[in-house]
């Protein structure tokens, strides 16, 4: 006949079990890494948004320089304060815009890479859930076994009832 198992004591035993603790610690690290990778997606995504904003500013300035007539007051002011005229700035903004577009594409690639890594890490972490469950079951079995009276090994003589 089986006796009732003290679930609170069993839970405490399992929580203190070295094998279960090891698997649980690894499990928690895997989920923490997966969550950190999800955070990286957001960080890289924000960089994309910032790059888009920079491109917008660059295009705005690019167009503003295109509308400046040669030898106009604006052209003279640019020449006086920056040493470059509107045509030079037009060229600089055009080059900057092209560079920012390349950087934007690179950053989008980083977002996709981070997203892929996050997906793989999440899948691995979910697979590890089965290992954690199995480790808990094994620890519960060890607890039940620890409640059983010690069995005599083979070859040991029985105590005589004298």
């Amino acid at each position: 006949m089986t006796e009732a198992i003290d679930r609170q004591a069993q839970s405490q035993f399992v929580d203190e079990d070295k094998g279960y603790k090891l698997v649980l610690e690894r499990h928690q690290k895997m989920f923490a890494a997966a969550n950190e990778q999800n955070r990286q997606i957001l960080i890289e995504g924000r960089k994309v948004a910032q790059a888009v904003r920079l491109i917008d500013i660059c295009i705005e300035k690019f167009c503003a320089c295109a509308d400046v007539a040669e030898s106009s007051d604006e052209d003279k002011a640019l020449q006086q304060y920056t040493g470059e005229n509107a045509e030079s700035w037009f060229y600089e903004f055009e080059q900057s815009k092209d560079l920012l577009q390349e950087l934007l594409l690179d950053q989008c690639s980083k977002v996709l890479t981070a997203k892929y890594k996050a997906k793989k890490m999440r899948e691995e972490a979910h697979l590890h859930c089965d290992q954690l469950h199995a480790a808990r079951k094994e620890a519960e079995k060890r607890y039940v076994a620890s409640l059983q009276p010690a069995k005599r090994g083979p070859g040991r003589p029985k105590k005589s009832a004298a």
Side-chain angles (χ1 to χ4, degrees):
M1 180 180 228
T2 59
E3 58 186 66
I5 295 175
D6 181 0
R7 294 292 176 193
Q8 187 175 4
Q10 182 183 30
S11 180
Q12 184 178 355
F13 179 88
V14 168
D15 290 342
E16 294 172 0
D17 183 75
K18 289 181 181 179
Y20 177 72
K21 277 183 172 180
L22 183 66
V23 175
L24 178 62
E25 184 180 314
R26 190 171 61 199
H27 179 77
Q28 290 170 336
K29 284 180 182 178
M30 290 180 83
F31 267 97
N35 288 336
E36 177 60 27
Q37 192 60 43
N38 282 334
R39 198 167 104 18
Q40 285 301 316
I41 294 171
L42 295 175
I43 290 169
E44 298 301 332
R46 287 184 183 129
K47 290 178 183 177
V48 168
Q50 292 166 348
V52 168
R53 179 66 184 131
L54 284 172
I55 289 173
D56 288 345
I57 292 169
C58 196
I59 290 172
E60 181 181 312
K61 296 300 179 186
F62 171 75
C63 292
C65 287
D67 293 338
V68 174
E70 193 174 329
S71 299
S72 68
D73 290 341
E74 286 179 90
D75 191 44
K76 289 176 185 175
L78 279 172
Q79 182 73 39
Q80 179 182 356
Y81 292 117
T82 66
E84 301 285 337
N85 63 10
E87 186 176 332
S88 296
W89 279 105
F90 176 84
Y91 176 75
E92 291 294 327
F93 283 121
E94 182 180 26
Q95 294 298 312
S96 297
K97 175 188 65 75
D98 293 343
L99 176 63
L100 285 170
Q101 286 174 338
E102 288 179 34
L103 292 174
L104 177 62
L105 292 175
D106 289 344
Q107 193 58 41
C108 287
S109 176
K110 288 180 183 178
V111 170
L112 292 175
T113 301
K115 189 174 180 181
Y116 176 78
K117 285 181 182 178
K119 180 182 175 188
K120 288 297 178 189
M121 291 175 93
R122 184 67 61 188
E123 287 172 359
E124 284 181 35
H126 283 293
L127 289 175
H128 197 266
C129 288
D130 293 337
Q131 293 174 357
L132 181 64
H133 182 70
R136 183 168 192 83
K137 288 291 180 194
E138 286 299 316
E140 288 172 354
K141 287 178 186 177
R142 284 191 293 278
Y143 173 75
V144 171
S146 74
L147 296 177
Q148 303 298 321
K151 295 182 181 176
R152 249 186 261 276
R156 292 182 74 191
K158 292 184 178 183
K159 289 185 180 179
S160 57

